[in-house]
Amino acid sequence: MSILQTHNLSRRYNQTEVLKNVILDISMGETLAVIGPSGAGKSTLIRLLDLLESPSSGSITLFNQTVSNKTDRLPLRRRMAFVHQKPLVFSTSVFENVAQPLRWRGMKNTFIEERVTDALALVKMDSYAGRHAKTLSGGETQRVALARALVTHPEIIFLDEPTANLDPLATTMVEELISSVIQARNLTVVMTTHDLAQGQRLADRIGVLVAGELLQLGKPSEIFMSPACRAVAEFIGVENIWNGTVTGSDNGLFTAAVNGHIIQAVGYFNIEDTVDLFIRPEDIIISITDDRTSARNRLPGTITRLSLVSPLVRLELDCGGLPLMAVVTQQAATDLGLVIGKHVFASMKATAIHTAKGNCPGQ
């Protein structure tokens, strides 16, 4: 059941279009992570969804109500909560910081006591209730901000880069708390992050926002294994991205000319189509002899660089003008005698090469 929808949502500041025709349909109880580089429009999107700003065009539907300029937004906003990237705390106790939203709503003290105690326990900050909030660490402040958002029992919670300013240990703790809170409360969560792995760990679906456009939306495995276009592949860190021209196509298997090489991959394209090909380093098999295997693609190459990323060794190859990145285990590198300048063979199955034609959907 949908709880939040957008249709062609756009936002302009003067003549600069920050968001362009964003379409979302978020289900109740779902966690959606919007990932993208700095300046992509992630914070603007989440502020629009929380009704802190109004769109330049397009529409937002919340709880089956389409929001207009005349809509009373306060009742809708009280069903939601927002945790900012750099949350502010009031110069008072942790308890009072968490209690403040309820005091603004005119709740009774006995009700406030119960709600605040529960919220602090949920984020494992109950022992900090009497502490002055200004003395907290960054991770502790973020947990207090999370408790303050949860104390009103929102149906949707928005998290804007919730761990952007935290050290690795605090990041892990906050992520674990977010995950446990989602399960305990069955919340609908929309979060922004530039941390790809965080999106994978926490989200049911991921949206990739680049230059104000939502280029791909899907399950984490779909985003990371089958990027929809070059812009998505570049952002998620696919290291082998080639551009080629289709030279043959037969029943879902095609060949493409790439820098003088013929590559076979799976997909339905027409002759002379221009396609992008994405190959992950871990999907490349390195050997030192030209023994034939079931892999459709086999390129001779020379190792130009080796680097240790324990427990793996990263190889940079020059395959006749075609650069290629591969990874092997340290043991395999030793067994194969891999050194800079050594001639090797790189094999890739046709099914390991992901493909896309032209721009991402919406571009």
Side-chain angles (χ1 to χ4, degrees), residues 258-271:
V258 182
N259 281 19
H261 299 272
I262 296 298
I263 303 295
Q264 287 189 314
V266 175
Y268 292 88
F269 297 101
N270 297 318
I271 305 296

Side-chain angles (χ1 to χ4, degrees), residues 3-10 21-26 45 48-49 57-62 214:
I3 193 170
L4 191 162
Q5 296 172 307
T6 69
H7 180 69
N8 292 336
L9 193 68
S10 298
N21 301 319
V22 174
I23 298 174
L24 289 172
D25 189 342
I26 301 170
L45 174 60
L48 289 174
L49 299 181
S57 60
S59 63
I60 299 172
T61 301
L62 281 161
L214 191 64

Side-chain angles (χ1 to χ4, degrees), residues 308-328:
L308 177 64
V309 185
S310 185
L312 302 175
V313 175
R314 293 165 56 86
L315 311 176
E316 293 183 29
L317 308 177
D318 179 2
C319 298
L322 191 63
L324 187 66
M325 180 77 70
V327 293
V328 297

Side-chain angles (χ1 to χ4, degrees), residues 50-52 73-82 105:
D50 193 43
L51 308 184
L52 290 170
R73 300 184 176 210
L74 183 59
L76 293 173
R77 294 205 67 244
R78 284 192 166 183
R79 299 174 67 177
M80 305 183 291
F82 193 117
R105 285 165 169 78

Side-chain angles (χ1 to χ4, degrees), residues 229-230 241-244 269 274-278 354-358:
C229 61
R230 176 182 285 266
I241 302 177
W242 299 336
N243 182 261
F269 297 101
T274 298
V275 295
D276 289 315
L277 300 95
F278 316 125
H354 303 285
T355 58
K357 177 184 175 182

Side-chain angles (χ1 to χ4, degrees), residues 232-347:
V232 173
E234 289 174 343
F235 176 71
I236 65 173
V238 177
E239 293 175 283
N240 298 305
I241 302 177
W242 299 336
N243 182 261
T245 302
V246 176
T247 58
S249 182
D250 182 25
N251 199 29
L253 185 69
F254 74 93
T255 56
V258 182
N259 281 19
H261 299 272
I262 296 298
I263 303 295
Q264 287 189 314
V266 175
Y268 292 88
F269 297 101
N270 297 318
I271 305 296
E272 296 188 358
D273 277 349
T274 298
V275 295
D276 289 315
L277 300 95
F278 316 125
I279 309 98
R280 294 187 174 278
E282 58 269 26
D283 291 329
I284 297 169
I285 302 169
I286 299 297
S287 60
I288 56 176
T289 58
D290 193 15
D291 298 329
R292 291 295 167 185
T293 68
S294 61
R296 289 273 184 172
N297 303 288
R298 194 170 183 81
L299 299 174
T302 302
I303 299 173
T304 59
R305 186 174 181 181
L306 289 170
S307 55
L308 177 64
V309 185
S310 185
L312 302 175
V313 175
R314 293 165 56 86
L315 311 176
E316 293 183 29
L317 308 177
D318 179 2
C319 298
L322 191 63
L324 187 66
M325 180 77 70
V327 293
V328 297
T329 64
Q330 291 185 50
Q331 187 61 55
T334 300
D335 292 345
L336 294 172
L338 301 184
V339 294
I340 293 175
K342 190 176 185 70
H343 297 287
V344 296
F345 294 89
S347 300

Side-chain angles (χ1 to χ4, degrees), residues 89-108:
V89 290
F90 305 117
S91 186
T92 184
S93 69
V94 166
F95 183 95
E96 284 302 321
N97 267 267
V98 177
Q100 197 58 53
L102 301 178
R103 297 203 188 282
W104 287 332
R105 285 165 169 78
M107 302 299 182
K108 294 181 179 180

